[in-house]
Amino acid sequence: MADVVVLGSGAAGLAAALGAALGGAEVVVLEKAPAYGGTTALSGGVVWMPGNRFAPEGDVEAAKRYLRELDLGDTNPALADLFLDDARRVADVIEASSAVEWRAFDYPDYHPEFDGGRETGRAMQPAPFEASSEVALMVREGRSDAAPQHPHVHLREGAARFLTEGPALVGGLIAGCRDLGVRFVAGVSVSGLRVDRGAVTGVANDDGDIPGSVVIATGGFERNPSYVKAFLRGPMEAPIGVPEVTGDGLRMAMSVGADLGNMAEAYWGPAVRIPTGPGAALHRMLLAERSRPGSFMIDRFGRRFANEGENYNDLGRALQVFEPTVFSYARFPAWFVFDAHYRRTYGVATMRPHDPDPEWLLKADTLEALAARMGVPADVLGATTERFNGFARTGVDEDFGRGGGYHDRFMGDHEADLPNPALGPVEEAPFYAVQVYPGCLGTRGGPRTDADGRVLSAADRSPIPGLFAAGNAAASPLGHAYPGAGGTIGPGLVFGMRAGEAAAGA
């Protein structure tokens, strides 16, 4: 008999399982996929957790000012402050109770120029982890969107396996949970919640009921077309998360009358669609590629529309702008344009500099011919390129400020002989373009929760007994705000841990 049933095995679910087990509960983790880790296993494993042991003194209070700067009116201030106040404790508990070892990750906040923002010190990443063969085989195989050419799992001396990045976080948490007696079951489809007199008492699946308090950590709903159409704002054509994130947790929470929040929002980003077979494709986020010199982005009319080096979440939002004069989304499709020097110097998505040209890459000997292939006005593309090249030569983007802030420059090429590491002319033939789709790493809406992850009722905002939620399966307390690298996983760990601790005492 389980005291706590955790649905999902990404960062939030594993943190919940660890917290519940440390609280003395008998815990079972149920995973829909055949392996564990969810979208966390596809990530770089970076966590944004201010006040961590690598951060400077006073970082938590500075981070509170920073989150207030990012608030567009939909943040839950009490929960946002709680996340910051508890991040250090949770990070330390994870390190002490699992095989995760934190390392500082040199990366700036996404808006370091804002009050309280920092150029480094808030992000961490798990150290490479040599897992037993048994644990390593439990972890979902994946590749990082940031560096898709590098596998996360490396064989070492036969039985043991070397895990890095997201799989290191997943594997380290699994190892800690297993040491505490947590049971793991993969390939399980949960049909619904069991409810007795208004309280959630367990879950039902094909093999029967599993009793216990329930923590929903099933991820978002970006792979459910009907939910995407019903809830998300603007087009979203490129989900990055694993195929299993179809909103199962959302469906269960709605079935018991949960209050919902932040449903129109996701962790947005510009993505490339890579065909993998007839009618099949995967998506890769465009990350550092956009800050490399010798490139820019245009809308369907051939115009630049944003600082290409901006963080992916904010740039992803810009892809969804509706233009009423033409009654369409002017930036769908959008295009990432670059020249021959860029092509032989930098990678794009899964394409490395010396790889053969893939089928999803457009190529032409002139800008006019490239414009024809993209279906954009050649004269507009020519004028856009000429203006951009002028900015690249002076090092100052007078239209959108690319390379004017620390984040852009950090992501640029500091070895290039240019006045601005994020700006370089697009001038050497042949020319290339990749279609850019509005995508997301995961949705961030779901049932509203309290400080301990208890799901709140839509009727009176009181906790629904026995039901908890965390991670992308719950309404993000940060609202629109995406403060920095790991801004999804960090809060997922904190509120997952708190939900598990509370569920153990329920």
Side-chain angles (χ1 to χ4, degrees):
M1 179 179 292
D3 294 318
V4 176
V5 182
V6 178
L7 306 181
S9 62
L14 293 173
L18 188 69
L22 289 170
E26 184 180 347
V27 184
V28 60
V29 175
L30 304 182
E31 171 55 52
K32 183 178 179 180
Y36 302 92
T39 300
T40 302
L42 306 184
S43 76
V46 179
V47 301
W48 193 78
M49 301 180 80
N52 65 68
R53 62 187 175 89
F54 305 106
E57 189 73 24
D59 187 48
V60 171
E61 292 307 310
K64 289 180 180 179
R65 297 198 309 273
Y66 177 56
L67 284 187
R68 284 194 289 272
E69 288 277 298
L70 296 177
D71 185 8
L72 295 179
D74 59 352
T75 299
N76 184 321
L79 292 187
D81 282 355
L82 178 64
F83 157 60
L84 297 173
D85 289 334
D86 208 23
R88 171 66 182 268
R89 178 191 73 89
V90 171
D92 290 350
V93 168
I94 288 171
E95 195 167 43
S97 306
S98 75
V100 174
E101 178 188 349
W102 298 119
R103 290 184 174 177
F105 186 68
D106 182 19
Y107 208 90
D109 287 343
Y110 285 159
H111 292 282
E113 71 279 6
F114 286 9
D115 181 28
R118 290 202 185 280
E119 296 180 355
T120 191
R122 288 181 173 150
M124 298 187 296
Q125 191 175 42
F129 165 51
E130 192 165 15
S132 68
S133 178
E134 186 175 7
V135 168
L137 289 173
M138 294 175 67
V139 179
R140 185 181 199 120
E141 292 186 6
R143 293 176 182 272
S144 169
D145 291 311
Q149 67 270 31
H150 300 306
H152 288 303
V153 182
H154 308 271
L155 294 174
R156 175 183 266 197
E157 296 177 0
R161 295 196 177 194
F162 205 51
L163 306 181
T164 63
E165 301 186 353
L169 178 57
V170 171
L173 287 169
I174 288 175
C177 287
R178 282 166 55 91
D179 287 345
L180 292 168
V182 174
R183 186 162 60 95
F184 287 84
V185 184
V188 177
S189 292
V190 173
S191 58
L193 301 172
R194 289 303 185 201
V195 181
D196 182 18
R197 288 172 287 187
V200 173
T201 59
V203 300
N205 65 11
D206 293 339
D207 297 325
D209 293 356
I210 302 177
S213 298
V214 176
V215 180
I216 296 174
T218 52
F221 56 85
E222 63 269 25
R223 295 284 186 173
N224 186 318
S226 63
Y227 283 1
V228 166
K229 184 177 180 179
F231 295 119
L232 290 186
R233 65 178 184 87
M236 197 288 288
E237 301 290 328
I240 305 294
V242 294
E244 292 82 12
V245 283
T246 56
D248 295 347
L250 175 60
R251 171 180 53 82
M252 285 183 252
M254 290 191 295
S255 74
V256 293
D259 192 25
L260 303 181
N262 217 34
M263 294 300 296
E265 280 302 315
Y267 298 98
W268 309 109
V272 173
R273 179 171 293 168
I274 301 170
T276 57
L282 60 82
H283 302 104
R284 283 288 184 265
M285 197 75 82
L286 286 177
L287 295 173
E289 298 99 324
R290 298 175 285 103
S291 292
R292 303 296 192 228
S295 67
F296 57 77
M297 285 179 64
I298 57 172
D299 63 16
R300 57 186 292 208
F301 302 110
R303 309 168 302 193
R304 286 183 71 214
F305 57 87
N307 169 8
E308 296 89 349
E310 188 58 86
N311 72 81
Y312 55 82
N313 182 66
D314 291 348
L315 186 61
R317 282 182 185 167
L319 293 173
Q320 299 177 325
V321 169
F322 182 77
E323 192 159 317
T325 56
V326 292
F327 199 75
S328 70
Y329 293 98
R331 298 158 191 178
F332 178 51
W335 298 91
F336 182 61
V337 178
F338 50 98
D339 69 359
H341 179 267
Y342 186 106
R343 173 70 179 92
R344 64 174 177 266
T345 308
Y346 311 111
V348 176
T350 57
M351 178 184 69
R352 291 170 292 189
H354 301 295
D355 288 343
D357 290 345
E359 61 180 285
W360 45 268
L361 178 67
L362 301 186
K363 177 181 178 180
D365 290 332
T366 65
L367 285 171
E368 292 79 7
L370 187 67
R373 296 203 66 187
M374 290 187 288
V376 304
D379 58 338
V380 178
L381 178 60
T384 295
T385 305
E386 183 178 359
R387 183 170 177 82
F388 178 81
N389 287 348
F391 297 156
R393 293 186 181 97
T394 65
V396 179
D397 178 4
E398 297 177 16
D399 288 342
F400 300 104
R402 175 169 160 182
Y406 183 84
H407 177 272
D408 300 1
R409 295 194 301 274
F410 180 88
M411 299 291 284
D413 184 352
H414 295 269
E415 296 181 0
D417 185 18
L418 294 165
N420 187 323
L423 283 176
V426 177
E427 59 186 358
E428 183 182 341
F431 300 96
Y432 300 86
V434 175
Q435 186 169 349
V436 179
Y437 295 82
C440 77
L441 290 169
T443 55
R444 55 169 112 182
R448 296 185 191 273
T449 56
D450 68 6
D452 293 316
R454 296 180 176 88
V455 172
L456 303 179
S457 166
D460 58 7
R461 293 284 180 91
S462 65
I464 298 173
L467 186 61
F468 303 79
N472 288 1
S476 170
L478 303 187
H480 284 70
Y482 200 6
T488 308
I489 298 178
L493 291 174
V494 171
F495 289 105
M497 176 73 71
R498 293 184 66 87
E501 292 168 340

